[in-house]
Structure formats: structure tokens, C-alpha cells
Amino acid sequence: MAPPQGSRAPLEFGGPLGAAALMLLLPVTMFHLLLVARSGPARLLGPPPYLPGLEELWSPWALLLCLTWLGLQAALYLLPARKVAEGQELKDKSRLRYPINGFQALVLTALLVGLGVSAGLPLSALPEMLLPLAFAATLTAFIFSLLLYLKALLAPASALAPGGNSGPHQPGVADTGSRTSGESLAGHVAGQWLPATEAVLTTMDIIHDGFGFMLAFGDLAWVPFTYSLQAQFLLYHPQPLGWPLASFICLINAVGYYIFRGANSQKNTFRKNPSDPRVADLETISTATGRRLLVSGWWGMVRHPNYLGDLIMALAWSLPCGVFHLLPYFYFLYFTALLVHREDRDERQCRQKYGLAWHEYCRRVPYRIVPYVY
């Protein structure tokens, strides 16, 4: 909503200059990672093996494939869903309705890909198309961001994010999957196919951040091409991984997913119905806003247990690549910085929103993400 007369909403991500820098830096970083992952040394901090020309980046087939994929997912989203969830209350007191059919779309997509492979779909050509696909996704994201910005100029103030009308084109980064022997690459990819649930509707991406470059570029380009960096690394640098170690890594991933889903589900259940038997016995702190803060269960362990689960999964997705290259751990390092920054943003918002109640919550739950560490 537009800030009151005489006041100004705080700018995040460094304001206009920081936003512009991120819009340039993030695509450059993504292409750097794609290039060094396929190089022999695979050095995260080293220069790329070469700079691709436009003829290597641009492919009408890659753009067509990208748009076809987006069209398919949009069509699957429109299919009837067994469950429809309501989002958080908006400034005009209305609520958006979301069909919960992501798992359904995942299964149908996998079936379609399987049918395509059996019919001769050349999936083996995709690794060589990564650069033009990344370029097509980036181009699509920038065009989409521009359209969203123009739409925001015409939208009512109640439809804008808190910082969405504060001047800059405000970005951030979200928070959305051979030649190897098989188990390392398969173990990594399998870990990233865990579907999200309706608890995502209570995350900062949905309830606070505006829909602009942050989510458009993040979901269309950054997530698919950098979160899969470990799989790309293993494709060109196979690593030995026995089944005992593979099983241990899968266990670490399962623990992370259990914490992540358990924390988000507990928060989502409590927000929807504090009297639900699954959360009714949890200890809470009352606030001046009428809401209550959980100080037991997952949210009594640390202030952001979902971030802890996220980081454990990020580490598990990198471990199949061994420990002799830093490049596959870029996702874990980047994600740590991202979540620490996001936690700091959330901390400031909650302190302003809940006042003394938040100070009491911080006293009761002193650790932010990792117990006894941070």
C-alpha cells in the first residue's frame, strides 16, 4: 500500500542502485556458473573458459522449448484440483484462492516426458542446449518483469507489495531439477524432486515480496540453472559414490525435508486454526495485533526452523559432488547468504509489527536459524 503522506517505505536491496546492480549481476553470475561447470578445472572463482557469442546464446528452438514448457505448466495449473487453499488476507480484506495441484502437475509432467522419451524425444541434447535455454529464460524473465512493472503502475495501491511503489524496480532472489556411472547424479536429482505444499502460501515470497524481477528471473532462470549446478558438474566431472555414502546423503536430505515441511506445516496449521488439535497445546505469546507467536514446537527451537531445513537439504544436494571442488557448493553458500539476509529482513519487519512481544519472543528463542550457533 502507498505510504502515508510525508513518509516513505524503506527501500530494500540497496534501493535503486542496488536493484540495478542485482539485475545485471545475477544473469552474469548465472552464465559464469554454466560456463565453468563444464570446464576442466571447474573453478568457482576462476575465469570462464571463454565468452560465448550471440550466435551460441540465441536459438529460436530454445525459446520455443522454453515457452512450450511454460505453456504446459500453465495448462496443468488450470486443471481441476482436489484442494483449493486460501492465501493470507490482503489489505482490502480479500483472499486469493490457490489450487493445490503441484504434485498432480509433477506426475503428469513426468508421464509426458516418459512418453516423449519412449517416442524418441532426444533428451540427451539438453546439456548442449543449456546456454541458449538459459538465455531464452533470461530474456523471457526480463520481458515479463517489464510487463509486471507496467501493470503495477495501473494497479490499485491495495494490490502492491509494501515496497512495490517506493521508486525502484525492486528485485531480490527467490526462494523451484549421461556420462556418469549413475548413482551420484541420480542421488542429487532425486533429492530435488520433493514437491512443495500449501504451506508455501505463508512464506515471505508470497505474503511480502512483490511479483517482479525477483520472482520472475528467480523462478524462470536462476532456480532451474543454478540450483541444478551440482547435476551439471557431475555430468562433466563424474564422482565415485558408493551406496553406503549415497544412503547417508539421502538420510541427511530426508532430515532436512522433515524439518522444513514440519516447520512450515505447523506454522500454516496454526495460522489457519489455532484450535487445531495438532497445534492447540503449543505455547504462545500474545501480541498487540491480536496474533500469537509460537514459542514451542518447531518455532520454539529456533526462530526460522524452515530455513534450517532448507540449508540441510542444500548441503545434501551438494555432497554427491565430493569435497575437492568448491563450485558444486555455490548453491549452499549462496543459499546461506540469502537466508541470513532474508532472516534479517524478517527480523526488522516482526520487530516493527509486534514490538515488545517480539522482544520477548527473541528472549525465549535466542537462536535465529542454527541452534547454539546462529
Side-chain angles (χ1 to χ4, degrees):
M1 184 175 293
Q5 189 75 19
S7 69
R8 184 176 179 84
L11 301 182
E12 297 177 345
F13 302 102
L17 291 179
L22 283 175
M23 292 177 72
L24 174 64
L25 181 62
L26 292 178
V28 169
T29 301
M30 182 185 71
F31 282 104
H32 170 78
L33 294 172
L34 291 175
L35 289 169
V36 298
R38 62 181 65 195
S39 68
R43 294 192 185 97
L44 174 61
L45 302 179
Y50 68 98
L51 295 178
L54 183 60
E55 67 281 356
E56 188 176 355
L57 294 174
W58 168 249
S59 167
W61 291 108
L63 179 60
L64 178 61
L65 182 58
C66 182
L67 296 178
T68 300
W69 172 264
L70 293 177
L72 171 63
Q73 298 308 314
L76 293 177
Y77 178 79
L78 297 176
L79 292 178
R82 291 184 299 174
K83 184 177 182 181
V84 177
E86 288 189 340
Q88 298 296 299
E89 187 177 276
L90 303 179
K91 297 181 182 71
D92 61 1
K93 305 303 180 181
S94 66
R95 293 176 182 266
L96 299 178
R97 294 172 60 82
Y98 300 86
I100 307 300
N101 58 0
F103 185 73
Q104 176 184 345
L106 172 64
V107 172
L108 290 175
T109 300
L111 289 175
L112 288 174
V113 171
L115 291 174
V117 171
S118 63
L121 187 67
L123 287 185
S124 59
L126 285 179
E128 301 304 320
M129 292 183 64
L130 278 179
L131 285 178
L133 282 172
F135 186 77
T138 301
L139 181 63
T140 303
F142 270 93
I143 293 175
F144 193 24
S145 300
L146 177 61
L147 295 177
L148 287 168
Y149 179 74
L150 295 176
K151 182 179 179 181
L153 296 178
L154 304 175
S158 61
L160 300 177
N165 57 346
S166 55
H169 314 267
Q170 189 153 324
V173 185
D175 267 233
T176 188
S178 96
R179 299 186 325 221
T180 69
S181 58
E183 64 266 24
S184 294
L185 183 59
H188 163 73
V189 173
Q192 292 190 311
W193 273 67
L194 297 171
T197 67
E198 67 175 287
V200 74
L201 299 180
T202 62
T203 61
M204 180 178 284
D205 288 340
I206 301 298
I207 64 176
H208 175 75
D209 292 333
F211 191 15
F213 178 80
M214 175 182 71
L215 294 179
F217 177 79
D219 291 342
L220 295 179
W222 183 264
V223 167
F225 292 101
T226 64
Y227 285 25
S228 64
L229 187 65
Q230 301 95 324
Q232 298 173 46
F233 174 85
L234 289 172
L235 190 64
Y236 295 96
H237 306 83
Q239 302 291 317
L241 183 66
W243 286 111
L245 182 56
S247 300
F248 178 68
I249 293 174
C250 288
L251 176 62
I252 294 176
N253 189 73
V255 170
Y257 182 69
Y258 176 74
I259 296 173
F260 174 80
R261 179 160 182 174
N264 276 331
S265 296
Q266 189 176 79
K267 176 179 66 173
N268 187 54
T269 300
F270 182 78
R271 283 185 172 179
K272 288 171 59 177
N273 180 16
S275 300
D276 190 296
R278 292 172 291 179
V279 296
D281 294 333
L282 295 178
E283 189 177 356
T284 62
I285 294 177
S286 298
T287 71
T289 65
R291 289 190 173 185
R292 291 181 289 166
L293 301 175
L294 288 171
V295 287
S296 62
W298 287 112
W299 300 88
M301 181 177 64
V302 290
R303 298 178 210 168
H304 297 275
N306 50 342
Y307 293 178
L308 174 62
D310 248 343
L311 289 175
I312 293 174
M313 287 191 290
L315 177 62
W317 295 346
S318 302
L319 287 175
C321 301
V323 296
F324 298 106
H325 285 83
L326 184 61
L327 178 68
Y329 290 86
F330 169 82
Y331 171 57
F332 175 73
L333 298 173
Y334 149 78
F335 209 47
T336 299
L338 171 78
L339 292 182
V340 168
H341 176 255
R342 178 172 292 191
E343 183 275 333
D344 180 67
R345 292 172 60 204
D346 187 63
E347 185 84 11
R348 285 185 277 111
Q349 293 166 18
C350 290
R351 188 163 51 244
Q352 181 179 4
K353 184 176 181 179
Y354 299 118
L356 294 177
W358 183 254
H359 287 284
E360 173 63 16
Y361 173 68
C362 293
R363 187 188 67 80
R364 298 278 296 274
V365 186
Y367 298 103
R368 302 184 177 206
I369 299 178
V370 183
Y372 303 103
V373 177
Y374 177 74

